[in-house]
Amino acid sequence: MKRLIDDLARYGVFVVEIGELESWLPAINAHGEGPEWVMSAFAALGDDPGAPGYVAPSTDDVWEFLDRVAVWTANPSRQGIP
């Protein structure tokens, strides 16, 4: 399965391996489903890097996924969508 997911990513199709969006960032304790979860997650992450409790991007979870998308997007020799 991992090979298929890696092959798809080479062509710009990024599969979320952990399931639902709500599975991301479990440490922030966001609640709800769909839009309710998104609003709860944004509130939990914070918007002021200087504030206590602000969650900075790290190298795992959703941040790792987004980094892979960014690397593919920045590659002028990428396969898939030109």
Side-chain angles (χ1 to χ4, degrees), residues 2 5-6 9 14-18 24-25 56-72:
K2 177 74 172 140
I5 291 171
D6 291 343
F14 295 91
V15 176
V16 177
E17 299 178 48
I18 62 168
W24 269 337
L25 301 168
S58 63
T59 58
D60 62 353
D61 211 290
V62 64
W63 315 112
E64 180 182 356
F65 182 84
L66 293 174
D67 283 344
R68 286 186 299 180
V69 174
V71 166
W72 180 83

Side-chain angles (χ1 to χ4, degrees), residues 44-57:
L45 290 170
D47 60 0
D48 179 2
Y54 174 79
V55 179

Side-chain angles (χ1 to χ4, degrees), residues 32-47:
E33 294 181 5
E36 183 182 334
W37 180 88
V38 171
M39 296 305 292
S40 178
F42 282 151
L45 290 170
D47 60 0

